[in-house]
Amino acid sequence: MPEFKTSPGTRDILAPDSGRWRAFQEVFAKTVEAAGYTLIIPPMFEDLDVFLRLGEATEVVTKEMYDFHDKGGRHVALRPEQTASVCRAFVEHRPTTPWKVWYAGPNFRYEKPQQGRYRQFDQVGIEALGTNDPFLDAEVIGLAAKFYSNLGLKRVKLAINTLGDGGDREKYAQKLLEYFSRHESSLTSESKATLARNPLRVLDSKREPDQEVIANAPAIRDTIGKEAGAHFESVLAALEAMNVSYEINNRLVRGLDYYRRTTFEFVSTALASAHTAIGGGGRYDGLVEALGGPATPGIGFALGLDRTLLACDAEGSFVAPKQAVEVFVVDTVDGSHAQTICNLLRENGVTADRAYDLRSMKAQMKAADRSGAAVALIIGEDEVQNSTIMLRPMNSGEQHSIARGDLVGEVMKALKK
RNA sequence: GUGGGCGUAGCUCAGUUGGCUAGAGCGCCAGGUUGUGGUCCUGGAGGUCGCGGGUUCAAGCCCCGUCGUCCACCCCA
């Protein structure tokens, strides 16, 4: 056993998974940049207070923060998510609106790890600030759906709900508190604890004994104001016009307190484990203000890389790309020819690798095979004497000798470049 | 944070009621093939059996602790 291992909840991503991660982020970038979102790269840690503005009832903030004091005495925290950072950046830079940005990178939460849940986990996401237009809600949700389909995912369901405006949320929370308190005796002890903390979250309980009480709980749609209700209807209409299918779930309350109005979640029906939520988001119309900026509406989503890739695995889509060079050079003379030839090929835009340590031809050919190269170039004593190179396409038993001076042209021909 | 399963070679795992020098497959290296990979054959390297303590004539196996990992809960992506 090695002396050192990665810390709990962290891991190394090696090839071919690392290539899959990069491809994942590239597909995401392409999807959202097509809609005008630009990349933002916020820092991985911020003043603790930035994240505290996410809300006192948000467990991500109260229980799971990776926080510490730096050498200057600042109390900082590794970001548990990126929406707060984006809003802080908005207040700091005051870009013209609508400000539409995307991000990709790791977040940190101090939790007990299990499958699809790590202490350092990657998300990709977008945020759009500065407008209340319901078409923007539909655009944001549509982009997430588009991204899933670009990954080849089919078994993804969109659940959507509205939480009304700030006041509505309070009123609804009050209603729920009254309702659940009346039925407290039939709730599980976990739900009773949740009730005291955040009545809305009781709706999220998946525990069997709670289900009946939850099913009869008052729905938020009876509580929300006219404006928020109209907004929701417009969002739904816009989604239908885009052919994005959805399911209204008036029990959908997400974990971060700041959500207002539109809230949504994507669930993979291909996943068997408990963690089927592969992405989610919503409006957070009060957050910029809470961070000291002007009242500014905002909406966005974040998608978990790990869970989305687990869903891809379950559906057999978006397989990890194999990394291979085009040419592998076998040099059984002294290794210097391999060096010269590799350099020449690379300068001409051909990817090339070679063997080291002057191993036997058999060993070098084996390495050529492993490299995935389409073509092997072989240099032995005969070739050096005759100023030739043996060109061997790896998928056939045939090989032919080429003049050393014709190397680049012959390789291009063999690779059909 | 709570509860449970599992830690044996680089990987996946076997190892009987505690009993010879701890095994297999894959991978890796070498040879068969003094100039040829992907198939085949032969051989080889590689292990503090997670770590620490205890019981025993004897521990990979039993007991205690600890760390890691997985699963469920909590929570969430």
Side-chain angles (χ1 to χ4, degrees), chain A residues 134 162 221 224 226-240 246 248 262:
Chain A
T162 180
R221 297 191 76 191
I224 61 175
K226 248 192 191 141
E227 223 181 304
H231 181 92
F232 190 53
E233 294 305 326
S234 303
V235 173
L236 297 182
L239 284 174
E240 278 158 33
Y246 60 83
I248 295 174
T262 312

Side-chain angles (χ1 to χ4, degrees), chain A residues 97-349:
Chain A
T97 59
W99 192 48
K100 305 206 295 185
V101 296
W102 72 272
Y103 57 80
N107 302 325
F108 306 84
R109 292 180 195 172
Y110 193 88
E111 296 185 280
K112 198 154 181 175
Q114 51 183 263
Q115 191 185 43
R117 187 172 75 184
Y118 299 93
R119 287 183 178 175
Q120 177 179 332
F121 63 101
D122 265 59
Q123 287 184 328
V124 296
I126 63 177
E127 309 292 348
L129 289 105
T131 167
N132 248 319
D133 193 328
F135 282 116
L136 178 64
D137 300 44
E139 174 181 290
V140 165
I141 295 168
L143 282 170
K146 176 74 182 158
F147 175 59
Y148 289 129
S149 89
N150 286 347
L151 289 178
L153 287 173
K154 294 189 171 67
R155 299 175 59 185
V156 176
K157 270 192 183 161
L158 163 64
I160 188 167
N161 191 22
T162 180
L163 296 176
D165 288 310
D168 299 337
R169 196 185 158 109
E170 301 314 310
K171 260 185 267 168
Y172 183 53
Q174 193 56 39
K175 260 192 178 175
L176 277 179
L177 180 62
E178 280 163 24
Y179 171 80
F180 283 127
S181 298
R182 251 183 293 135
H183 297 86
E184 208 173 335
S185 54
S186 25
L187 286 176
T188 58
S189 53
E190 289 92 342
S191 287
K192 282 179 205 165
T194 309
L195 182 60
R197 241 184 2 255
N198 186 345
L200 290 174
R201 295 211 51 79
V202 176
L203 294 174
D204 253 359
S205 163
K206 275 141 201 136
R207 288 171 290 271
E208 199 43 51
D210 295 328
Q211 294 314 308
E212 201 187 324
V213 188
I214 291 172
N216 295 316
I220 185 137
R221 297 191 76 191
D222 305 327
T223 311
I224 61 175
K226 248 192 191 141
E227 223 181 304
H231 181 92
F232 190 53
E233 294 305 326
S234 303
V235 173
L236 297 182
L239 284 174
E240 278 158 33
M242 291 169 70
N243 279 319
V244 174
S245 50
Y246 60 83
E247 228 166 71
I248 295 174
N249 175 359
N250 53 25
R251 310 267 175 262
L252 179 66
V253 180
R254 297 183 39 76
L256 299 162
D257 278 348
Y258 51 64
Y259 286 119
R260 298 284 180 271
R261 294 200 175 187
T262 312
T263 175
F264 57 93
E265 188 167 278
F266 289 91
V267 169
S268 167
T269 57
L271 288 175
S273 84
H275 299 136
T276 55
I278 57 176
R283 278 204 166 271
Y284 40 88
D285 293 343
L287 190 54
V288 170
E289 224 173 332
L291 285 162
T296 308
I299 181 169
F301 66 70
L303 312 181
L305 218 122
D306 292 294
R307 288 193 193 172
T308 306
L309 287 178
L310 285 175
C312 288
D313 290 340
E315 291 200 36
S317 70
F318 200 65
V319 294
K322 278 200 194 97
Q323 187 177 338
V325 290
E326 294 166 305
V327 174
F328 194 92
V329 184
V330 171
D331 173 353
T332 59
V333 180
D334 61 5
S336 72
H337 305 280
Q339 183 185 38
T340 313
I341 291 169
C342 278
N343 283 340
L344 181 62
L345 290 173
R346 291 169 190 162
E347 275 166 25
N348 283 278

Side-chain angles (χ1 to χ4, degrees), chain A residues 46-77:
Chain A
E46 304 246 7
D47 283 345
L48 177 74
D49 289 343
V50 170
F51 303 117
L52 292 183
R53 300 297 163 85
L54 291 171
E56 305 253 313
T58 305
E59 298 215 349
V60 163
V61 169
T62 53
K63 282 173 54 179
E64 301 168 0
M65 200 95 86
Y66 253 108
D67 64 315
F68 57 98
H69 293 273
D70 72 9
K71 288 177 180 169
R74 280 174 291 265
H75 197 177
V76 298

Side-chain angles (χ1 to χ4, degrees), chain A residues 337-417:
Chain A
H337 305 280
Q339 183 185 38
T340 313
I341 291 169
C342 278
N343 283 340
L344 181 62
L345 290 173
R346 291 169 190 162
E347 275 166 25
N348 283 278
V350 176
T351 57
D353 198 2
R354 56 166 294 185
Y356 303 95
D357 300 325
L358 203 59
R359 301 216 285 154
S360 71
M361 173 161 292
K362 181 182 172 125
Q364 294 197 41
M365 284 304 293
K366 213 169 173 176
D369 190 45
R370 260 198 300 262
S371 76
V375 167
L377 295 176
I378 302 164
I379 319 289
E381 297 291 354
D382 294 352
E383 284 75 16
V384 171
Q385 296 244 310
N386 305 327
S387 285
T388 58
I389 296 170
M390 194 61 80
L391 188 156
R392 180 182 177 86
M394 293 300 281
N395 58 3
S396 77
E398 310 202 346
Q399 58 185 23
H400 61 277
S401 181
I402 59 170
R404 190 140 180 179
D406 299 339
L407 174 65
V408 175
E410 289 289 340
V411 166
M412 294 293 189
K413 204 161 83 187
L415 292 173
K416 301 190 173 76
K417 279 185 93 168

